[in-house]
């Protein structure tokens, strides 16, 4: 893989968008590689948390590769939009918790990738935003749908229709990012946040995420039924028994994801 750098450390997968000269803009090959990596993460039982970030210190991703875009036929543009939508949906639906570690600019598709993740942790000197309407297009990688679900309709419409570029602290105030920290502490703070989840039952993490994600857009009774079924998946697990034993033995549980 060239456009994506992949690394696994312990139970964390690091997926780094790796076109720093193009500020990690998405061209078709990068999207294809990102999709393949997401598919492999989905079925890897050793991965319990996934962190997405950008190579270099300037950019997470500046979205669609506008240089490539200029050379594409309308049909190819459609292919790219279809591909990015498919890949970001695969990422959104990863069973493991996902964190966008925002190390620099995140514009257009870059912000949309962050929105497909469960959490966004940003260095306090970055900028982000859905800039597409300034380019006479619209957010086409989930932004018009995921942003209003995250921060509410009026605030999302404001950001999309003005194409405003937000500083990290403004993005925090809008609810667009989960947390901000200094650039020096970005990695360590992101890993500390990941560690809070890594301490918990891996199957429980996945089932809780499944229940929240699938319950969000259905009526309450259907959502509660989804929750019940997701809970039932945890009942026959070794980890549930281990947690009960550890509690009575006054020690920390050791979870195996089984
Ligand atoms: N695509 C390709 N190259 C880019 C992009 C981009 N999106 N953004 C910047 N670059 C390139 C520049 O052209 C430049 O290259 P070169 O040195 O060869 O001229 C290099 O990166 C550095 O950029 P700048 O010189 O402009 O650096 P600055 O620090 O002055 O500015 C900015 C950096 C602020 C990021 C500025 O370049 C900028 O505003 N870029 C545009 C960002 C943007 O609006 N992105 C949204 C794109 S639209 C989108 O993402 C739609 C997604 C939906 C579908 C996607 C399907 C694939």
């Amino acid at each position: 893989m060239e456009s994506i750098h992949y690394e696994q450390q312990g139970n964390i997968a690091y997926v780094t968008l790796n076109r720093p000269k193009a500020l990690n803009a998405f061209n078709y090959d990068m999207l294809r590689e990102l999709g393949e990596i997401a598919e492999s993460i989905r079925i890897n039982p050793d991965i319990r948390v996934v962190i997405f970030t950008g190579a270099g210190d300037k950019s997470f991703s500046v979205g669609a590769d506008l240089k490539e875009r200029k050379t594409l036929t309308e049909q190819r543009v459609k292919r790219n939009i279809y591909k990015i939508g498919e890949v970001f949906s695969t990422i959104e639906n990863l069973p493991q918790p996902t964190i966008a570690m925002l190390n620099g600019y995140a514009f257009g598709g870059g912000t949309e990738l962050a929105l497909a993740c469960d959490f966004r942790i940003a260095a306090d000197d970055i900028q982000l935003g859905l800039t597409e309407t300034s380019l006479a297009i619209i957010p086409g990688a989930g932004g018009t749908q995921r942003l209003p679900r995250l921060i509410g309709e009026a605030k999302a419409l404001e950001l999309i229709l003005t194409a405003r570029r937000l500083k990290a602290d403004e993005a925090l105030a809008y609810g667009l990012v989960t947390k901000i920290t200094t650039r020096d502490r970005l990695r360590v703070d992101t890993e500390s946040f990941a560690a809070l989840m890594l301490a918990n039952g891996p199957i429980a993490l996945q089932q809780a995420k499944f229940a929240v994600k699938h319950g969000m857009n259905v009526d309450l009774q259907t959502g509660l039924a989804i929750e019940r079924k997701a809970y039932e998946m945890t009942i026959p697990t070794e980890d549930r028994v281990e947690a009960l034993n550890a509690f009575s033995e006054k020690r920390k549980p050791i979870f195996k994801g089984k």
Side-chain angles (χ1 to χ4, degrees):
M1 297 277 175
E2 288 172 2
S3 310
I4 305 286
H5 179 73
Y6 177 79
E7 203 182 334
Q8 203 181 319
Q9 277 178 27
N11 295 117
I12 302 182
Y14 293 87
V15 180
T16 304
L17 308 174
N18 190 31
R19 299 186 67 220
K21 283 189 188 138
L23 300 183
N24 304 319
F26 295 108
N27 62 6
Y28 187 75
D29 287 342
M30 189 197 226
L31 290 171
R32 206 175 29 75
E33 288 182 26
L34 187 59
E36 282 169 21
I37 284 172
E39 298 284 352
S40 72
I41 289 173
R42 181 163 65 186
I43 53 167
N44 186 332
D46 296 329
I47 297 171
R48 299 188 188 173
V49 173
V50 188
I51 296 176
F52 291 88
T53 194
D57 54 11
K58 202 169 170 188
S59 174
F60 174 73
S61 169
V62 288
D65 186 326
L66 298 174
K67 288 179 185 163
E68 180 195 62
R69 189 57 73 85
K70 210 162 172 241
T71 67
L72 299 180
T73 60
E74 287 184 15
Q75 211 173 358
R76 287 273 160 127
V77 173
K78 275 190 197 161
R79 176 196 67 167
N80 282 16
I81 290 167
Y82 186 84
K83 187 72 184 166
I84 201 168
E86 178 190 275
V87 172
F88 287 7
S89 289
T90 302
I91 289 170
E92 175 167 45
N93 291 317
L94 280 173
Q96 300 93 342
T98 51
I99 305 171
M101 183 165 77
L102 299 171
N103 60 309
Y105 295 129
F107 292 129
T111 287
E112 291 174 291
L113 171 59
L115 289 170
C117 293
D118 300 322
F119 309 105
R120 288 148 290 281
I121 301 184
D124 56 11
D125 58 353
I126 70 147
Q127 285 181 41
L128 70 170
L130 293 178
T131 53
E132 284 95 339
T133 58
S134 70
L135 294 160
I137 53 174
I138 74 167
T144 66
Q145 302 307 305
R146 294 193 179 103
L147 188 62
R149 282 168 172 76
L150 182 69
I151 67 172
E153 184 183 324
K155 283 193 278 183
L157 257 184
E158 178 203 334
L159 295 183
I160 292 168
L161 300 188
T162 61
R164 235 177 97 194
R165 295 170 183 229
L166 298 176
K167 294 192 175 123
D169 57 347
E170 293 177 291
L172 183 68
Y174 270 82
L176 211 169
V177 301
T178 315
K179 189 177 160 65
I180 57 177
T181 182
T182 58
R183 177 165 289 276
D184 289 352
R185 292 197 52 87
L186 181 61
R187 187 163 171 129
V188 67
D189 285 352
T190 304
E191 287 173 350
S192 301
F193 181 73
L196 297 174
M197 296 185 279
L198 290 171
N200 300 330
I203 294 172
L205 291 179
Q206 296 197 4
Q207 292 304 318
K209 174 172 172 177
F210 180 90
V212 170
K213 286 266 170 209
H214 290 268
M216 275 298 290
N217 300 313
V218 296
D219 65 279
L220 180 61
Q221 288 311 315
T222 308
L224 292 172
I226 290 170
E227 180 186 80
R228 206 167 311 121
K229 282 289 165 202
Y231 191 116
E232 282 174 9
M233 295 294 286
T234 66
I235 297 174
T237 62
E238 288 176 29
D239 286 344
R240 188 181 71 91
V241 177
E242 162 64 7
L244 293 173
N245 289 340
F247 178 75
S248 58
E249 291 160 20
K250 299 189 187 303
R251 61 172 174 84
K252 278 197 172 162
I254 300 163
F255 293 129
K256 295 186 191 144
K258 288 185 182 159

